[in-house]
mmCIF file of all heavy atoms in Angstrom:
data_model
loop_
_atom_site.group_PDB
_atom_site.id
_atom_site.type_symbol
_atom_site.label_atom_id
_atom_site.label_comp_id
_atom_site.label_asym_id
_atom_site.label_seq_id
_atom_site.Cartn_x
_atom_site.Cartn_y
_atom_site.Cartn_z
ATOM 1 N N GLY A 257 -12.225 24.009 -3.340
ATOM 2 C CA GLY A 257 -12.775 22.842 -3.874
ATOM 3 C C GLY A 257 -13.081 23.017 -5.254
ATOM 4 O O GLY A 257 -12.974 23.982 -5.957
ATOM 5 N N THR A 258 -13.687 21.872 -5.905
ATOM 6 C CA THR A 258 -14.046 21.886 -7.310
ATOM 7 C C THR A 258 -15.418 21.174 -7.317
ATOM 8 O O THR A 258 -15.819 20.411 -6.504
ATOM 9 C CB THR A 258 -13.058 21.087 -8.223
ATOM 10 O OG1 THR A 258 -13.011 19.798 -7.761
ATOM 11 C CG2 THR A 258 -11.651 21.694 -8.105
ATOM 12 N N ILE A 259 -16.135 21.559 -8.373
ATOM 13 C CA ILE A 259 -17.475 21.000 -8.708
ATOM 14 C C ILE A 259 -17.359 20.193 -10.039
ATOM 15 O O ILE A 259 -16.926 20.743 -11.016
ATOM 16 C CB ILE A 259 -18.667 21.961 -8.815
ATOM 17 C CG1 ILE A 259 -18.652 22.959 -7.518
ATOM 18 C CG2 ILE A 259 -19.978 21.205 -8.917
ATOM 19 C CD1 ILE A 259 -19.031 22.146 -6.190
ATOM 20 N N GLY A 260 -17.565 18.888 -10.057
ATOM 21 C CA GLY A 260 -17.258 18.069 -11.184
ATOM 22 C C GLY A 260 -18.214 18.121 -12.415
ATOM 23 O O GLY A 260 -17.840 17.642 -13.410
ATOM 24 N N TRP A 261 -19.238 18.870 -12.199
ATOM 25 C CA TRP A 261 -20.343 18.901 -13.317
ATOM 26 C C TRP A 261 -19.817 19.243 -14.655
ATOM 27 O O TRP A 261 -20.435 18.649 -15.605
ATOM 28 C CB TRP A 261 -21.470 19.919 -12.880
ATOM 29 C CG TRP A 261 -22.297 20.289 -14.010
ATOM 30 C CD1 TRP A 261 -23.259 19.550 -14.592
ATOM 31 C CD2 TRP A 261 -22.171 21.474 -14.722
ATOM 32 N NE1 TRP A 261 -23.834 20.245 -15.572
ATOM 33 C CE2 TRP A 261 -23.179 21.444 -15.781
ATOM 34 C CE3 TRP A 261 -21.390 22.605 -14.699
ATOM 35 C CZ2 TRP A 261 -23.372 22.562 -16.683
ATOM 36 C CZ3 TRP A 261 -21.578 23.698 -15.523
ATOM 37 C CH2 TRP A 261 -22.488 23.602 -16.537
ATOM 38 N N PRO A 262 -18.924 20.222 -14.902
ATOM 39 C CA PRO A 262 -18.566 20.584 -16.341
ATOM 40 C C PRO A 262 -18.162 19.431 -17.163
ATOM 41 O O PRO A 262 -18.137 19.610 -18.383
ATOM 42 C CB PRO A 262 -17.547 21.705 -16.147
ATOM 43 C CG PRO A 262 -17.894 22.327 -14.854
ATOM 44 C CD PRO A 262 -18.257 21.147 -13.868
ATOM 45 N N GLU A 263 -17.669 18.336 -16.586
ATOM 46 C CA GLU A 263 -17.303 17.181 -17.446
ATOM 47 C C GLU A 263 -18.314 16.198 -17.783
ATOM 48 O O GLU A 263 -18.040 15.212 -18.406
ATOM 49 C CB GLU A 263 -16.049 16.481 -16.716
ATOM 50 C CG GLU A 263 -14.824 17.421 -16.592
ATOM 51 C CD GLU A 263 -13.584 16.622 -16.201
ATOM 52 O OE1 GLU A 263 -13.312 15.543 -16.935
ATOM 53 O OE2 GLU A 263 -12.927 17.025 -15.310
ATOM 54 N N TRP A 264 -19.612 16.517 -17.536
ATOM 55 C CA TRP A 264 -20.759 15.711 -17.849
ATOM 56 C C TRP A 264 -20.742 15.458 -19.336
ATOM 57 O O TRP A 264 -20.460 16.361 -20.150
ATOM 58 C CB TRP A 264 -22.084 16.459 -17.459
ATOM 59 C CG TRP A 264 -23.242 15.584 -17.695
ATOM 60 C CD1 TRP A 264 -23.941 15.597 -18.990
ATOM 61 C CD2 TRP A 264 -23.861 14.659 -16.929
ATOM 62 N NE1 TRP A 264 -24.943 14.798 -18.957
ATOM 63 C CE2 TRP A 264 -25.076 14.091 -17.661
ATOM 64 C CE3 TRP A 264 -23.662 14.157 -15.719
ATOM 65 C CZ2 TRP A 264 -25.885 13.099 -17.172
ATOM 66 C CZ3 TRP A 264 -24.587 13.273 -15.113
ATOM 67 C CH2 TRP A 264 -25.626 12.714 -15.916
ATOM 68 N N PRO A 265 -20.984 14.299 -19.865
ATOM 69 C CA PRO A 265 -21.552 13.101 -19.147
ATOM 70 C C PRO A 265 -20.559 12.220 -18.396
ATOM 71 O O PRO A 265 -20.952 11.218 -17.824
ATOM 72 C CB PRO A 265 -22.240 12.303 -20.290
ATOM 73 C CG PRO A 265 -21.316 12.610 -21.413
ATOM 74 C CD PRO A 265 -21.017 13.977 -21.254
ATOM 75 N N LYS A 266 -19.405 12.545 -18.463
ATOM 76 C CA LYS A 266 -18.328 11.817 -17.585
ATOM 77 C C LYS A 266 -18.644 12.269 -16.073
ATOM 78 O O LYS A 266 -18.828 13.352 -15.816
ATOM 79 C CB LYS A 266 -16.992 12.189 -17.985
ATOM 80 C CG LYS A 266 -15.869 11.540 -17.067
ATOM 81 C CD LYS A 266 -14.431 12.017 -17.450
ATOM 82 C CE LYS A 266 -13.343 11.398 -16.617
ATOM 83 N NZ LYS A 266 -12.039 11.890 -16.970
ATOM 84 N N LEU A 267 -18.785 11.225 -15.214
ATOM 85 C CA LEU A 267 -19.091 11.568 -13.837
ATOM 86 C C LEU A 267 -17.786 11.836 -13.119
ATOM 87 O O LEU A 267 -16.883 10.889 -12.854
ATOM 88 C CB LEU A 267 -19.858 10.264 -13.238
ATOM 89 C CG LEU A 267 -21.192 9.900 -13.879
ATOM 90 C CD1 LEU A 267 -21.915 8.842 -13.099
ATOM 91 C CD2 LEU A 267 -22.077 11.111 -13.881
ATOM 92 N N VAL A 268 -17.686 12.943 -12.706
ATOM 93 C CA VAL A 268 -16.493 13.416 -11.890
ATOM 94 C C VAL A 268 -16.860 13.975 -10.560
ATOM 95 O O VAL A 268 -17.722 14.821 -10.376
ATOM 96 C CB VAL A 268 -15.743 14.522 -12.685
ATOM 97 C CG1 VAL A 268 -14.496 15.010 -11.936
ATOM 98 C CG2 VAL A 268 -15.183 13.978 -14.004
ATOM 99 N N ALA A 269 -16.412 13.357 -9.489
ATOM 100 C CA ALA A 269 -16.730 13.690 -8.145
ATOM 101 C C ALA A 269 -16.173 15.130 -7.843
ATOM 102 O O ALA A 269 -15.022 15.502 -8.179
ATOM 103 C CB ALA A 269 -16.229 12.762 -7.112
ATOM 104 N N SER A 270 -16.968 15.932 -7.108
ATOM 105 C CA SER A 270 -16.496 17.125 -6.593
ATOM 106 C C SER A 270 -15.427 16.854 -5.417
ATOM 107 O O SER A 270 -15.372 15.781 -4.921
ATOM 108 C CB SER A 270 -17.617 17.953 -6.033
ATOM 109 O OG SER A 270 -18.563 18.259 -7.016
ATOM 110 N N THR A 271 -14.495 17.921 -5.219
ATOM 111 C CA THR A 271 -13.547 17.795 -4.238
ATOM 112 C C THR A 271 -13.481 18.865 -3.170
ATOM 113 O O THR A 271 -14.110 19.973 -3.383
ATOM 114 C CB THR A 271 -12.218 17.824 -4.959
ATOM 115 O OG1 THR A 271 -11.858 19.162 -5.436
ATOM 116 C CG2 THR A 271 -12.135 16.703 -6.069
ATOM 117 N N ILE A 272 -12.816 18.709 -2.057
ATOM 118 C CA ILE A 272 -12.592 19.705 -1.151
ATOM 119 C C ILE A 272 -11.248 19.455 -0.498
ATOM 120 O O ILE A 272 -10.827 18.314 -0.186
ATOM 121 C CB ILE A 272 -13.725 19.828 0.004
ATOM 122 C CG1 ILE A 272 -13.361 20.886 0.949
ATOM 123 C CG2 ILE A 272 -13.813 18.441 0.666
ATOM 124 C CD1 ILE A 272 -14.509 21.207 1.889
ATOM 125 N N ASP A 273 -10.397 20.475 -0.257
ATOM 126 C CA ASP A 273 -9.243 20.479 0.479
ATOM 127 C C ASP A 273 -9.261 21.597 1.590
ATOM 128 O O ASP A 273 -9.866 22.716 1.257
ATOM 129 C CB ASP A 273 -8.022 20.748 -0.399
ATOM 130 C CG ASP A 273 -7.943 19.763 -1.609
ATOM 131 O OD1 ASP A 273 -7.880 18.577 -1.362
ATOM 132 O OD2 ASP A 273 -7.766 20.239 -2.744
ATOM 133 N N PHE A 274 -8.807 21.442 2.723
ATOM 134 C CA PHE A 274 -8.906 22.416 3.722
ATOM 135 C C PHE A 274 -7.746 22.305 4.732
ATOM 136 O O PHE A 274 -7.130 21.308 4.931
ATOM 137 C CB PHE A 274 -10.218 22.360 4.409
ATOM 138 C CG PHE A 274 -10.362 21.146 5.361
ATOM 139 C CD1 PHE A 274 -10.107 21.221 6.669
ATOM 140 C CD2 PHE A 274 -10.964 19.941 4.817
ATOM 141 C CE1 PHE A 274 -10.347 20.056 7.560
ATOM 142 C CE2 PHE A 274 -11.244 18.905 5.621
ATOM 143 C CZ PHE A 274 -10.811 19.022 7.022
ATOM 144 N N THR A 275 -7.423 23.357 5.358
ATOM 145 C CA THR A 275 -6.460 23.460 6.362
ATOM 146 C C THR A 275 -6.923 24.439 7.396
ATOM 147 O O THR A 275 -7.593 25.432 7.198
ATOM 148 C CB THR A 275 -5.143 23.982 5.844
ATOM 149 O OG1 THR A 275 -4.120 24.008 6.887
ATOM 150 C CG2 THR A 275 -5.198 25.319 5.124
ATOM 151 N N SER A 276 -6.622 24.202 8.659
ATOM 152 C CA SER A 276 -7.005 25.169 9.712
ATOM 153 C C SER A 276 -5.900 25.044 10.772
ATOM 154 O O SER A 276 -5.182 24.201 11.053
ATOM 155 C CB SER A 276 -8.369 24.618 10.353
ATOM 156 O OG SER A 276 -8.285 23.444 11.054
ATOM 157 N N VAL A 277 -6.051 26.196 11.603
ATOM 158 C CA VAL A 277 -4.974 26.455 12.707
ATOM 159 C C VAL A 277 -5.277 25.254 13.706
ATOM 160 O O VAL A 277 -4.203 24.665 14.220
ATOM 161 C CB VAL A 277 -5.288 27.769 13.404
ATOM 162 C CG1 VAL A 277 -4.425 27.879 14.649
ATOM 163 C CG2 VAL A 277 -4.890 28.921 12.376
ATOM 164 N N ARG A 278 -6.429 24.895 14.042
ATOM 165 C CA ARG A 278 -6.638 23.881 15.042
ATOM 166 C C ARG A 278 -6.153 22.533 14.661
ATOM 167 O O ARG A 278 -5.965 21.633 15.444
ATOM 168 C CB ARG A 278 -8.186 23.790 15.419
ATOM 169 C CG ARG A 278 -8.959 23.215 14.446
ATOM 170 C CD ARG A 278 -10.494 23.059 14.871
ATOM 171 N NE ARG A 278 -11.104 24.223 15.249
ATOM 172 C CZ ARG A 278 -12.423 24.305 15.750
ATOM 173 N NH1 ARG A 278 -13.171 23.172 15.676
ATOM 174 N NH2 ARG A 278 -12.946 25.463 16.187
ATOM 175 N N ARG A 279 -5.915 22.330 13.371
ATOM 176 C CA ARG A 279 -5.372 21.013 12.878
ATOM 177 C C ARG A 279 -3.923 21.124 12.570
ATOM 178 O O ARG A 279 -3.415 20.351 11.721
ATOM 179 C CB ARG A 279 -6.217 20.453 11.795
ATOM 180 C CG ARG A 279 -7.658 20.108 12.209
ATOM 181 C CD ARG A 279 -8.594 19.530 11.200
ATOM 182 N NE ARG A 279 -9.776 19.317 11.672
ATOM 183 C CZ ARG A 279 -10.355 18.349 12.395
ATOM 184 N NH1 ARG A 279 -9.510 17.369 12.585
ATOM 185 N NH2 ARG A 279 -11.532 18.318 12.909
ATOM 186 N N GLY A 280 -3.303 22.114 13.037
ATOM 187 C CA GLY A 280 -1.815 22.241 12.889
ATOM 188 C C GLY A 280 -1.406 22.721 11.475
ATOM 189 O O GLY A 280 -0.253 22.498 10.993
ATOM 190 N N ARG A 281 -2.469 23.353 10.770
ATOM 191 C CA ARG A 281 -2.238 23.916 9.409
ATOM 192 C C ARG A 281 -1.778 22.789 8.333
ATOM 193 O O ARG A 281 -1.243 23.142 7.420
ATOM 194 C CB ARG A 281 -1.003 24.933 9.475
ATOM 195 C CG ARG A 281 -1.538 26.235 10.275
ATOM 196 C CD ARG A 281 -0.416 27.282 10.229
ATOM 197 N NE ARG A 281 -0.799 28.550 10.852
ATOM 198 C CZ ARG A 281 -0.661 28.767 12.244
ATOM 199 N NH1 ARG A 281 -0.049 27.881 13.030
ATOM 200 N NH2 ARG A 281 -1.024 29.857 12.755
ATOM 201 N N GLU A 282 -2.008 21.585 8.674
ATOM 202 C CA GLU A 282 -1.887 20.549 7.618
ATOM 203 C C GLU A 282 -3.088 20.495 6.704
ATOM 204 O O GLU A 282 -4.172 20.660 7.143
ATOM 205 C CB GLU A 282 -1.635 19.123 8.326
ATOM 206 C CG GLU A 282 -0.329 19.005 9.087
ATOM 207 C CD GLU A 282 -0.096 17.705 9.656
ATOM 208 O OE1 GLU A 282 -0.990 16.777 9.282
ATOM 209 O OE2 GLU A 282 0.830 17.471 10.372
ATOM 210 N N TRP A 283 -2.777 20.042 5.463
ATOM 211 C CA TRP A 283 -3.853 20.039 4.473
ATOM 212 C C TRP A 283 -4.587 18.777 4.681
ATOM 213 O O TRP A 283 -3.992 17.699 4.806
ATOM 214 C CB TRP A 283 -3.378 20.180 3.107
ATOM 215 C CG TRP A 283 -3.143 21.626 2.628
ATOM 216 C CD1 TRP A 283 -1.940 22.238 2.634
ATOM 217 C CD2 TRP A 283 -4.109 22.552 2.155
ATOM 218 N NE1 TRP A 283 -2.026 23.580 2.217
ATOM 219 C CE2 TRP A 283 -3.375 23.881 1.966
ATOM 220 C CE3 TRP A 283 -5.449 22.540 1.944
ATOM 221 C CZ2 TRP A 283 -4.033 24.940 1.374
ATOM 222 C CZ3 TRP A 283 -6.104 23.601 1.512
ATOM 223 C CH2 TRP A 283 -5.451 24.850 1.259
ATOM 224 N N MET A 284 -5.882 18.752 4.611
ATOM 225 C CA MET A 284 -6.783 17.573 4.675
ATOM 226 C C MET A 284 -7.434 17.572 3.265
ATOM 227 O O MET A 284 -7.934 18.592 2.704
ATOM 228 C CB MET A 284 -7.879 17.651 5.575
ATOM 229 C CG MET A 284 -7.255 17.862 7.147
ATOM 230 S SD MET A 284 -6.461 16.381 7.739
ATOM 231 C CE MET A 284 -7.938 15.333 8.065
ATOM 232 N N SER A 285 -7.510 16.288 2.733
ATOM 233 C CA SER A 285 -8.061 16.137 1.306
ATOM 234 C C SER A 285 -8.949 14.934 1.299
ATOM 235 O O SER A 285 -8.631 13.978 0.634
ATOM 236 C CB SER A 285 -6.939 16.064 0.235
ATOM 237 O OG SER A 285 -6.016 17.132 0.265
ATOM 238 N N PRO A 286 -10.173 15.066 1.905
ATOM 239 C CA PRO A 286 -11.103 14.022 1.843
ATOM 240 C C PRO A 286 -11.632 13.782 0.422
ATOM 241 O O PRO A 286 -11.696 14.793 -0.238
ATOM 242 C CB PRO A 286 -12.200 14.341 2.904
ATOM 243 C CG PRO A 286 -12.102 15.879 2.858
ATOM 244 C CD PRO A 286 -10.670 16.147 2.716
ATOM 245 N N ARG A 287 -12.043 12.648 0.079
ATOM 246 C CA ARG A 287 -12.628 12.409 -1.291
ATOM 247 C C ARG A 287 -13.802 11.478 -1.145
ATOM 248 O O ARG A 287 -13.889 10.550 -0.318
ATOM 249 C CB ARG A 287 -11.592 11.771 -2.210
ATOM 250 C CG ARG A 287 -10.445 12.820 -2.513
ATOM 251 C CD ARG A 287 -10.924 13.961 -3.395
ATOM 252 N NE ARG A 287 -9.801 14.830 -3.682
ATOM 253 C CZ ARG A 287 -9.547 15.938 -3.152
ATOM 254 N NH1 ARG A 287 -10.173 16.288 -2.007
ATOM 255 N NH2 ARG A 287 -8.539 16.738 -3.541
ATOM 256 N N TRP A 288 -14.823 11.811 -1.981
ATOM 257 C CA TRP A 288 -15.963 10.810 -2.028
ATOM 258 C C TRP A 288 -16.194 10.519 -3.447
ATOM 259 O O TRP A 288 -15.775 11.247 -4.496
ATOM 260 C CB TRP A 288 -17.246 11.627 -1.541
ATOM 261 C CG TRP A 288 -17.186 11.906 -0.075
ATOM 262 C CD1 TRP A 288 -17.744 11.128 0.946
ATOM 263 C CD2 TRP A 288 -16.635 13.093 0.617
ATOM 264 N NE1 TRP A 288 -17.566 11.745 2.087
ATOM 265 C CE2 TRP A 288 -16.876 12.966 1.898
ATOM 266 C CE3 TRP A 288 -15.945 14.230 0.164
ATOM 267 C CZ2 TRP A 288 -16.468 13.836 2.960
ATOM 268 C CZ3 TRP A 288 -15.584 15.166 1.097
ATOM 269 C CH2 TRP A 288 -15.817 14.920 2.444
ATOM 270 N N ARG A 289 -16.991 9.413 -3.772
ATOM 271 C CA ARG A 289 -17.211 9.097 -5.060
ATOM 272 C C ARG A 289 -18.472 9.740 -5.674
ATOM 273 O O ARG A 289 -18.631 9.790 -6.866
ATOM 274 C CB ARG A 289 -17.510 7.527 -5.205
ATOM 275 C CG ARG A 289 -16.200 6.690 -4.837
ATOM 276 C CD ARG A 289 -16.459 5.256 -4.983
ATOM 277 N NE ARG A 289 -17.447 4.780 -3.837
ATOM 278 C CZ ARG A 289 -17.841 3.609 -3.741
ATOM 279 N NH1 ARG A 289 -17.529 2.658 -4.631
ATOM 280 N NH2 ARG A 289 -18.734 3.257 -2.715
ATOM 281 N N GLU A 290 -19.397 10.295 -4.849
ATOM 282 C CA GLU A 290 -20.576 10.889 -5.359
ATOM 283 C C GLU A 290 -20.392 12.061 -6.238
ATOM 284 O O GLU A 290 -19.304 12.788 -6.019
ATOM 285 C CB GLU A 290 -21.454 11.285 -4.154
ATOM 286 C CG GLU A 290 -22.036 10.056 -3.420
ATOM 287 C CD GLU A 290 -21.111 9.467 -2.313
ATOM 288 O OE1 GLU A 290 -19.946 10.086 -2.148
ATOM 289 O OE2 GLU A 290 -21.333 8.452 -1.860
ATOM 290 N N THR A 291 -21.247 12.356 -7.135
ATOM 291 C CA THR A 291 -21.145 13.521 -7.924
ATOM 292 C C THR A 291 -22.444 14.417 -7.885
ATOM 293 O O THR A 291 -23.491 13.935 -7.363
ATOM 294 C CB THR A 291 -21.096 13.083 -9.481
ATOM 295 O OG1 THR A 291 -22.277 12.253 -9.816
ATOM 296 C CG2 THR A 291 -19.859 12.273 -9.719
ATOM 297 N N TRP A 292 -22.197 15.698 -8.275
ATOM 298 C CA TRP A 292 -23.425 16.584 -8.197
ATOM 299 C C TRP A 292 -24.474 16.008 -9.082
ATOM 300 O O TRP A 292 -25.711 15.923 -8.650
ATOM 301 C CB TRP A 292 -22.889 18.019 -8.622
ATOM 302 C CG TRP A 292 -23.979 19.011 -8.660
ATOM 303 C CD1 TRP A 292 -25.165 18.994 -8.026
ATOM 304 C CD2 TRP A 292 -23.999 20.353 -9.381
ATOM 305 N NE1 TRP A 292 -25.922 20.155 -8.218
ATOM 306 C CE2 TRP A 292 -25.207 20.962 -9.150
ATOM 307 C CE3 TRP A 292 -23.050 20.835 -10.214
ATOM 308 C CZ2 TRP A 292 -25.521 22.157 -9.622
ATOM 309 C CZ3 TRP A 292 -23.359 22.151 -10.761
ATOM 310 C CH2 TRP A 292 -24.606 22.829 -10.393
ATOM 311 N N PHE A 293 -24.249 15.857 -10.338
ATOM 312 C CA PHE A 293 -25.161 15.239 -11.322
ATOM 313 C C PHE A 293 -24.779 13.767 -11.361
ATOM 314 O O PHE A 293 -23.744 13.387 -11.775
ATOM 315 C CB PHE A 293 -25.108 15.881 -12.642
ATOM 316 C CG PHE A 293 -25.779 17.200 -12.865
ATOM 317 C CD1 PHE A 293 -25.761 18.107 -11.852
ATOM 318 C CD2 PHE A 293 -26.414 17.543 -13.990
ATOM 319 C CE1 PHE A 293 -26.455 19.341 -12.016
ATOM 320 C CE2 PHE A 293 -27.097 18.670 -14.162
ATOM 321 C CZ PHE A 293 -27.049 19.619 -13.164
#
């Protein structure tokens, strides 16, 4: 994942990507609009 804070004052949402054996090793990339700051 990434944390969006270093681009402040531009608001950049943090991210996460993950993959797991139980989900067939496919990548999941959920996204939210919220930011750390």
